């Protein structure tokens, strides 16, 4: 089950959003059906990692899907503009995954042109851990809505 994201009303660097969720086999099956991913490591657990672990693995993008939810919950109306990801280690199914997004910078946008809808551009450091091991590391950029004054 997913815990609600915690929020520290992020608007300055170092403020953090976080959530934890354990993805079930049913969650993974639904994601695989939607994405068309047919890699058997997500269902059988047989992979060439050489570590002897045969548990089925979460799709990396399913793990990373927690990040936009953090931002959208903290800043309703925001647009998740970009994300870079580095998959560091596998995450097994049914192991709680904790995702965090730490605000690194918030820069105002001019109230003209295509940016007139958005008040600011936020850069966030995104990371996820499963079983105490970092599994994803990345950076995200979000455009924060003008009508809400930035963060919700």
């Amino acid at each position: 089950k997913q815990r609600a994201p915690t929020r520290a009303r992020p608007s300055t660097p170092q403020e953090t959003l976080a959530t934890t969720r354990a993805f079930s086999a049913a969650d993974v099956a639904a994601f695989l059906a939607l994405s068309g991913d047919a890699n058997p490591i997500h269902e059988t657990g047989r992979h060439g990692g050489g570590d002897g672990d045969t548990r089925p693995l979460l799709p990396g993008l399913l793990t990373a899907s927690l990040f936009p939810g953090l931002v959208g919950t903290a800043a309703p109306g925001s647009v998740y503009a970009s994300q870079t990801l580095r998959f560091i280690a596998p995450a097994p199914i049914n192991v709680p995954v904790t995702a965090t997004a730490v605000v690194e910078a918030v820069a105002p946008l001019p109230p003209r042109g295509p940016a007139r809808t958005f008040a600011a551009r936020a850069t966030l450091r995104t990371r996820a851990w499963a079983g105490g091991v970092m599994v994803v590391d990345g950076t995200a950029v979000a455009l924060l809505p003008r009508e809400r004054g930035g963060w919700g």
Side-chain angles (χ1 to χ4, degrees), residues 1-145:
K1 301 297 179 215
Q2 184 170 1
R3 284 191 265 172
T6 57
R7 114 178 237 212
R9 192 164 177 80
S11 60
T12 59
Q14 302 310 307
E15 294 187 63
T16 301
L17 303 168
T19 191
T20 298
R21 177 177 180 146
F23 291 100
S24 69
D27 294 329
V28 172
F31 181 84
L32 296 177
L34 287 169
S35 68
D37 186 345
N39 190 333
I41 67 171
H42 304 306
E43 295 175 305
T44 66
R46 294 195 176 122
H47 51 88
D51 58 5
D53 191 345
T54 59
R55 294 178 292 179
L57 303 178
L58 289 176
L61 288 177
L62 179 57
T63 304
S65 73
L66 295 171
F67 302 132
L70 288 172
V71 173
T73 298
S78 62
V79 171
Y80 203 76
S82 68
Q83 172 76 63
T84 62
L85 298 168
R86 190 167 63 99
F87 299 103
I88 299 168
I93 292 174
N94 294 319
V95 171
V97 174
T98 298
T100 63
V102 177
V103 178
E104 291 190 326
V106 178
L109 293 173
R112 63 184 185 282
R116 68 180 172 267
T117 304
F118 302 101
R121 170 190 165 116
T123 303
L124 304 103
R125 179 71 181 261
T126 54
R127 290 181 168 165
W129 290 265
V133 174
M134 187 185 301
V135 295
V136 180
D137 185 22
T139 302
V141 172
L143 301 177
L144 308 177

